[in-house]
């Protein structure tokens, strides 16, 4: 069966995130991805989640409480562009997810932006474990969405193919700009043992 962009991103993370990993939810929104990541890393792992909206942090906190997953999650009410500082003392991450655009049920003008999104992705790439993935679910139907999608596609298309596999996935016969998935996997380089 052909999965939605969101479901396919979850499939990739389920296959690559391990118990005990440190992973990143770059846009927690309503917390669905955070719950998945917290489940995958288990009580010995850690999820660091970012959002610039207080409402998103609150909604996600509630969801984690309900699921009994608060211990392994740190929620930061700040932008993912602060990732270089936050990850300074962490050598490796087991994966990361971005769910771009705006948060359903809130202010549609608070959207992710191309420059900060690309800044965050570029901070994560050197820390990504070999065989692990950064997934980005990219929406383009809202004002500003198409610009972010195009800038991201330009950026990821330029990543060195010797170091990364980059995938674009999405339905091409659906109306209303369905989201696409961009997935980046770190490759084993030839000179590694
Ligand atoms: N479009 C998705 C949900 C996206 S939620 C869907 O349809 O399900 C995107 C979240 O990113 C929002 O909660 C928003 O507040 C958050 N966000 C925007 N800019 C951000 C930034 N620089 N850092 C972290 N989160 C950000």
């Amino acid at each position: 069966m052909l999965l939605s962009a969101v479901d396919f991103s979850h499939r990739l993370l389920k296959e690559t995130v391990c118990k005990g990993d440190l992973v990143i939810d770059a846009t927690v929104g309503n917390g669905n991805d955070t719950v998945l990541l917290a489940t995958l890393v288990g009580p010995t792992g850690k999820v660091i989640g970012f959002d610039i909206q207080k409402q998103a942090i609150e909604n996600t906190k509630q969801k984690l409480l309900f699921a009994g997953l608060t211990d392994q999650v740190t929620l930061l009410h700040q932008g993912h562009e602060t990732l270089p500082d936050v990850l300074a003392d962490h050598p490796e991450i087991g994966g990361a997810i971005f769910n771009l655009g705006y948060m359903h049920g809130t202010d549609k003008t608070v959207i992710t932006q191309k420059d900060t999104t690309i800044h965050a992705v570029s901070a994560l790439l050197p820390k990504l474990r070999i065989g692990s993935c950064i997934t980005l679910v990219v929406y383009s139907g809202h004002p500003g969405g198409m610009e972010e999608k195009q800038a991201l596609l330009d950026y990821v298309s330029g990543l060195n193919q010797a170091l990364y596999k980059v995938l674009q996935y999405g339905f091409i016969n659906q109306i209303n700009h369905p989201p696409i998935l961009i997935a980046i996997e770190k490759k084993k380089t030839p000179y590694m043992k």
Side-chain angles (χ1 to χ4, degrees):
M1 191 188 59
L2 298 179
L3 300 175
S4 70
V6 170
D7 287 345
F8 192 33
S9 76
H10 287 186
R11 161 79 76 90
L12 293 173
L13 291 163
K14 282 178 195 163
E15 285 176 7
T16 51
V17 172
C18 303
K19 297 275 181 228
D21 276 353
L22 169 67
V23 296
I24 305 298
D25 186 346
T27 51
V28 299
N30 284 313
N32 295 317
D33 300 332
T34 324
V35 166
L36 172 76
L37 290 174
T39 308
L40 293 177
V41 300
T44 59
K46 175 62 77 185
V47 182
I48 303 178
F50 294 81
D51 207 292
I52 54 171
Q53 290 191 82
K54 191 99 196 106
Q55 189 64 52
I57 300 291
E58 286 307 320
N59 292 358
T60 301
K61 205 177 278 173
Q62 287 308 317
K63 214 164 253 180
L64 291 166
L65 267 173
F66 190 70
L69 293 167
T70 46
D71 286 357
Q72 61 259 47
V73 181
T74 302
L75 295 174
L76 301 176
H77 182 207
Q78 62 196 52
H80 45 231
E81 55 277 19
T82 62
L83 264 165
D85 289 338
V86 173
L87 286 183
D89 297 329
H90 298 282
E92 184 176 275
I93 59 160
I97 188 160
F98 291 71
N99 199 326
L100 302 175
Y102 62 85
M103 184 180 151
H104 281 297
T106 59
D107 187 351
K108 288 187 181 176
T109 63
V110 181
I111 56 168
T112 52
Q113 305 280 346
K114 60 181 164 62
D115 291 345
T116 38
T117 301
I118 291 170
H119 187 71
V121 173
S122 61
L124 291 170
L125 286 174
K127 309 255 177 185
L128 189 61
R129 182 175 61 228
I130 289 166
S132 283
C133 289
I134 298 174
T135 64
L136 301 108
V137 178
V138 188
Y139 297 78
S140 54
H142 60 284
M146 202 57 98
E147 285 87 334
E148 186 180 35
K149 176 180 174 179
Q150 198 50 57
L152 257 178
L153 285 173
D154 289 347
Y155 171 73
V156 298
S157 308
L159 291 174
N160 185 343
Q161 67 167 11
L163 302 177
Y164 301 103
K165 293 183 200 170
V166 182
L167 173 87
Q168 177 184 338
Y169 172 93
F171 295 99
I172 56 174
N173 68 333
Q174 286 183 2
I175 58 165
N176 296 334
H177 306 284
I180 62 158
L181 170 69
I182 295 172
I184 307 168
E185 181 188 320
K186 170 97 50 99
K187 284 171 75 170
K188 191 173 177 180
T189 45
Y191 50 82
M192 281 176 171
K193 280 190 208 157

